[in-house]
Amino acid sequence: MFGIKKKIEVGQYDKINSGKFISKLLRNLKCTEIVCENYDKVKEQAVIQASICTGEQVAGFKDRETGRFREVMLIRSEADRAYFLEKYGVQEEDLVKEY
């Protein structure tokens, strides 16, 4: 359902010879993009959830029947917002912002 993409240098694989390296790699591994494989426009509503305290914004999809929110990506800038809209084919007027 979800996949996580992270670029790791090819040369780093040569260094995987100890538990210390793997431990360090896992600590430093940061999710750069969460890829949603399916988005049903009939059953789900595109939503940006924003925190009223911190202003943090998360884009995802809310099930119209259950209200369950499925997080897709963090929105840090207008470029992230535009990327979300383009990637999932969401029209600006169909996007709902919740606080």
Side-chain angles (χ1 to χ4, degrees):
M1 184 169 196
F2 292 101
I4 299 177
K5 290 184 178 178
K6 173 64 181 173
K7 182 178 179 183
I8 299 175
E9 298 293 325
V10 174
Q12 288 180 336
Y13 289 109
D14 298 335
K15 297 178 185 177
I16 299 178
N17 57 7
S18 71
K20 285 183 181 180
F21 177 78
I22 294 172
S23 172
K24 185 177 179 182
L25 181 64
L26 290 175
R27 272 187 272 120
N28 292 329
L29 186 65
K30 294 180 181 169
C31 178
T32 57
E33 180 180 1
I34 298 177
V35 180
C36 176
E37 295 176 357
N38 56 359
Y39 160 52
D40 186 352
K41 294 179 182 181
V42 175
K43 293 183 179 180
E44 296 177 308
Q45 170 72 47
V47 176
I48 291 184
Q49 289 187 340
S51 168
I52 59 173
C53 298
T54 63
E56 180 181 81
Q57 296 182 34
V58 178
F61 303 102
K62 189 173 188 177
D63 189 297
R64 294 178 193 270
E65 293 177 13
T66 64
R68 182 175 178 204
F69 181 72
R70 183 165 48 111
E71 184 177 308
V72 175
M73 66 181 286
L74 180 64
I75 303 293
R76 296 182 187 138
S77 65
E78 283 300 317
D80 288 341
R81 181 185 174 103
Y83 176 76
F84 171 75
L85 293 173
E86 180 183 334
K87 181 172 184 175
Y88 295 100
V90 178
Q91 300 298 318
E92 186 73 38
E93 56 272 5
D94 296 335
L95 189 62
V96 175
K97 193 168 194 178
E98 295 181 348
Y99 294 92

